[in-house]
């Protein structure tokens, strides 16, 4: 179970201010539960943990089973909320070197349609040309340029190399139930397909097949992920000032009002790098509106202590940190002794790397707090499927609460739509000439 510690952040906040923000957060939670806020029609995420039934789990696992052993690689096509949840879970749960020849029982997962870099794409096609592969094409709208281009190339390649019948076995789509080009194409080609409910926006969709199918295909236990999310639904929708989602939202808002405009999500385990990317998207796209909102960014420690550490310690005092700490896994790696102590670290002899990492966590927290950077900590226990299910739901809830306290609609993304429209206009998409 996630444990939240806000002690080193509350020291920076006036008691009255926190009290006010707690009350506002509780009100915001009621607005969410009643579905009466702006964007209330996009509140489907609230009950998603309960919607993950055995049938959905079986469907995903069936595809995972079919592709295990028959394809070397599965390409996940999608951008933003259509791939970040799956990617962050797969990175968090996989062996760090699974992409570098470690023996694996499941297909390797790679990504496409999450950018427009031609070099990335031509490298990908070269990589795939030596391998058998399957594709999961994900786009809620079914009209986003990046995944549409990627899908066009991969569909053509699979059909050319393996024939239409095999392509049908190796292409699965996840899109809107009724509208969009991907739905049309999918129905036309009779692909296996899942739909994303109308009431769920991309960045809140990880607990739909958008996240579940790729995670299952990568060999992980989606039933355990659902279990974590179900428990989280009960815990984090409680109308109680001790509810960690309420407290986290309130502390963030109190910090924001005191001039802390940037939140740095930090970790001490590289496997959590993409979880921070998911958080950046969740918070950035949900709350950065009406010229308001905390700017979410991320750092991987201790790596970034040797780059961003200087600014965090001593730059402008507009920052606060939110650390996500896990128990530490892997086998114990004990540091040995070197004759003559030539590298100067014999004082560490007999300690484990984990011990040293823990000292770095403590030392960093103290240095940054002393330097004027409030610090929030989440202790998440073991990094596994159940924990991830809980974390996804926790942060979705806390973020929605923040949105209503801030006075923005957390479930739209007009800013992103602006860029999409400009891209269509510049490329001459029919219907966008006037713009
Ligand atoms: O969170 C969101 O809604 C966005 O990040 C979308 O997921 C992203 O823009 C991709 O959109 P689509 O799934 O429609 O291709």
């Amino acid at each position: 179970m996630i444990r939240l510690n806000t002690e080193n952040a509350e020291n920076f906040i006036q008691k009255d201010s926190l009290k006010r923000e707690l009350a506002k957060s509780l009100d915001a939670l009621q607005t969410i539960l009643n579905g009466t806020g702006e964007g209330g029609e996009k509140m489907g995420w609230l009950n998603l943990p309960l919607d993950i039934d055995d049938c959905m789990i079986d469907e995903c696992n069936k595809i995972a089973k079919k592709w295990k052993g028959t394809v070397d690689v599965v390409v996940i096509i999608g951008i933003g909320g259509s791939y970040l949840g799956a990617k962050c879970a797969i990175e968090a749960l996989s062996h760090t070197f699974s992409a570098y020849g470690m023996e694996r029982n499941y297909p390797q997962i790679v990504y496409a349609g999450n950018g427009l870099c031609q070099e990335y794409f031509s490298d990908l096609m070269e990589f795939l040309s030596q391998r058998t592969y399957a594709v999961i094409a994900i786009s809620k709208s079914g009209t986003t340029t990046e995944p549409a281009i990627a899908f066009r190339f991969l569909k053509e390649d699979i059909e050319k190399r393996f024939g239409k019948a095999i392509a049908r076995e190796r292409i699965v789509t996840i899109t809107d139930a009724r509208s969009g080009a991907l739905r049309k194409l999918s129905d036309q080609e009779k692909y296996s397909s899942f739909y994303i409910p109308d009431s769920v926006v991309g960045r809140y969709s990880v607990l739909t097949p958008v996240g579940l199918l790729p995670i299952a295909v990568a060999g992980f236990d989606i039933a355990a992920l659902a279990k974590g999310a179900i428990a989280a639904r009960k815990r984090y929708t409680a109308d109680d000032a001790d509810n960690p989602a309420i407290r986290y939202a309130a502390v963030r808002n109190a910090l924001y009002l005191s001039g802390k405009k940037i939140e740095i999500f930090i970790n001490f385990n590289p496997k959590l790098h993409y979880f921070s990317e998911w958080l950046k998207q969740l918070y950035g796209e949900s709350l950065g509106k009406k010229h308001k909102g905390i700017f979410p960014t991320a750092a991987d420690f201790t790596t970034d202590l040797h780059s961003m550490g200087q600014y965090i310690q001593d730059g402008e005092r507009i920052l606060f940190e939110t650390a996500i700490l896990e128990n530490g896994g892997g086998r114990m790696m004990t540091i040995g002794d070197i004759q003559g102590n030539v590298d100067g670290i014999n004082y560490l002899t007999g300690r484990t790397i984990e011990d040293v990492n823990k000292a770095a966590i403590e030392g960093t927290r103290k240095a940054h707090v002393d330097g004027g950077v409030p610090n929030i900590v989440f202790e998440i226990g073991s990094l596994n499927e159940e924990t991830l299910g809980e974390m996804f739901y926790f942060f979705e809830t806390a973020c929605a609460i923040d949105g209503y306290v801030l006075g923005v609609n957390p479930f739209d993304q007009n800013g992103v739509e602006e860029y999409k429209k400009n891209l269509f206009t510049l490329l001459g998409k029919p219907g966008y000439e006037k713009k």
Side-chain angles (χ1 to χ4, degrees):
M1 187 164 72
I2 292 178
R3 284 198 313 162
L4 169 69
N5 183 344
T6 51
E7 200 184 311
N8 285 313
E10 288 181 31
N11 294 340
F12 290 82
I13 306 166
Q14 303 279 344
K15 281 212 159 42
D16 280 359
S17 168
L18 182 57
K19 215 168 144 195
R20 271 194 305 275
E21 295 312 310
L22 281 168
K24 283 195 232 164
S25 293
L26 283 164
D27 283 351
L29 179 63
Q30 283 314 313
T31 309
I32 291 169
L33 296 175
N34 297 332
T36 47
E38 224 191 323
E41 72 289 356
K42 298 291 178 195
M43 216 60 86
W45 61 272
L46 199 59
N47 288 323
L48 279 179
L50 308 176
D51 296 343
I52 308 173
D53 56 10
D54 288 350
C55 179
M56 191 190 288
I57 292 175
D58 285 353
E59 283 299 306
C60 293
N61 284 338
K62 230 193 282 167
I63 292 170
K65 199 166 159 205
K66 183 168 82 179
W67 288 348
K68 183 183 170 188
T70 54
V71 297
D72 306 318
V73 177
V74 175
V75 187
I76 313 293
I77 298 180
I79 194 163
S82 285
Y83 93 106
L84 275 167
K87 173 141 182 157
C88 82
I90 292 167
E91 295 275 320
L93 298 169
S94 296
H95 188 287
T96 305
F97 294 94
S98 59
Y100 301 94
M102 284 294 298
E103 207 176 309
R104 55 166 65 253
N105 294 321
Y106 286 84
Q108 186 170 359
I109 307 295
V110 299
Y111 301 86
N114 55 347
L116 286 167
C117 175
Q118 184 163 270
E119 187 174 0
Y120 176 90
F121 207 74
S122 68
D123 284 357
L124 174 69
M125 295 313 285
E126 203 178 316
F127 171 76
L128 293 174
S129 70
Q130 319 285 322
R131 290 159 178 86
T132 54
Y133 71 96
V135 168
I136 303 174
I138 310 171
S139 177
K140 169 92 196 298
S141 61
T143 55
T144 309
T145 310
E146 292 91 332
I149 292 175
F151 188 50
R152 181 177 283 203
F153 272 97
L154 292 174
K155 175 181 183 296
E156 196 182 287
D157 185 62
I158 284 204
E159 286 177 355
K160 217 191 268 162
R161 282 177 58 198
F162 308 104
K164 271 213 164 232
I166 296 274
R168 220 165 273 134
E169 291 291 305
R170 296 206 185 144
I171 293 175
V172 174
T173 62
I174 307 175
T175 186
D176 187 82
R178 288 170 297 275
S179 64
L182 189 58
R183 168 55 54 217
K184 201 167 151 205
L185 186 68
S186 186
D187 290 349
Q188 200 175 295
E189 298 282 359
K190 302 195 169 37
Y191 293 142
S192 297
S193 189
F194 294 83
Y195 75 89
I196 309 166
D198 279 347
S199 57
V200 178
V201 297
R203 58 197 171 278
Y204 274 79
S205 68
V206 61
L207 297 171
T208 72
V210 169
L212 299 177
L213 179 62
I215 294 168
V217 163
F220 299 110
D221 183 353
I222 54 173
L225 190 100
K227 189 175 166 209
I230 290 168
R233 191 195 174 280
K234 188 158 180 237
R235 199 171 295 138
Y236 303 126
T237 55
D239 183 14
D240 180 346
D242 286 333
N243 171 347
I246 296 286
R247 182 152 290 265
Y248 177 51
V251 169
R252 279 182 100 250
N253 275 315
L255 288 170
Y256 180 56
L257 293 174
S258 76
K260 304 296 184 191
K261 308 275 188 199
I262 297 175
E263 177 173 29
I264 312 173
F265 292 110
I266 59 173
N267 66 73
F268 285 79
N269 179 344
K271 286 187 176 184
L272 284 168
H273 173 86
Y274 269 93
F275 194 79
S276 297
E277 293 301 303
W278 180 79
L279 284 170
K280 274 163 59 182
Q281 193 222 355
L282 178 71
Y283 276 96
E285 206 165 84
S286 300
L287 306 186
K289 287 162 195 174
K290 299 186 182 168
H291 299 180
K292 296 195 273 193
I294 292 167
F295 182 79
T297 183
D300 299 325
F301 289 169
T302 63
T303 311
D304 290 334
L305 286 173
H306 299 261
S307 59
M308 297 300 286
Q310 173 60 39
Y311 191 104
I312 297 170
Q313 187 66 48
D314 211 20
E316 219 181 321
R317 303 297 68 192
I318 49 172
L319 315 168
F320 67 98
E321 286 176 326
T322 297
I324 298 181
L325 306 177
E326 37 70 58
N327 274 348
R331 68 192 161 90
M332 286 298 166
M333 302 283 293
T334 307
I335 299 165
D337 194 62
I338 277 194
Q339 210 185 4
N341 192 23
V342 281
D343 55 8
I345 58 166
N346 268 0
Y347 72 99
L348 294 175
T349 300
R351 315 280 293 269
T352 62
I353 297 182
E354 188 58 22
D355 278 346
V356 182
N357 204 23
K358 286 208 170 101
I361 293 171
E362 223 14 74
T364 307
R365 171 160 55 218
K366 184 161 172 19
H368 291 179
V369 170
D370 290 349
V373 179
N375 186 282
I376 298 171
V377 176
F378 286 99
E379 282 174 18
I380 62 167
S382 305
L383 196 48
N384 57 32
E385 288 91 336
E386 207 172 319
T387 311
L388 282 167
E390 180 184 357
M391 284 164 53
F392 285 136
Y393 196 85
F394 171 86
F395 283 106
E396 288 176 358
T397 310
C399 178
I401 293 170
D402 262 348
Y404 285 148
V405 171
L406 200 62
V408 300
N409 175 355
F411 309 111
D412 65 5
Q413 58 280 323
N414 295 331
V416 182
E417 300 310 321
E418 278 310 301
Y419 136 78
K420 287 187 185 179
K421 279 186 229 153
N422 283 350
L423 184 66
F424 290 156
T425 307
L426 288 164
L427 294 173
K429 181 172 175 166
Y432 286 80
E433 299 82 355
K434 269 199 191 140
K435 192 167 166 22

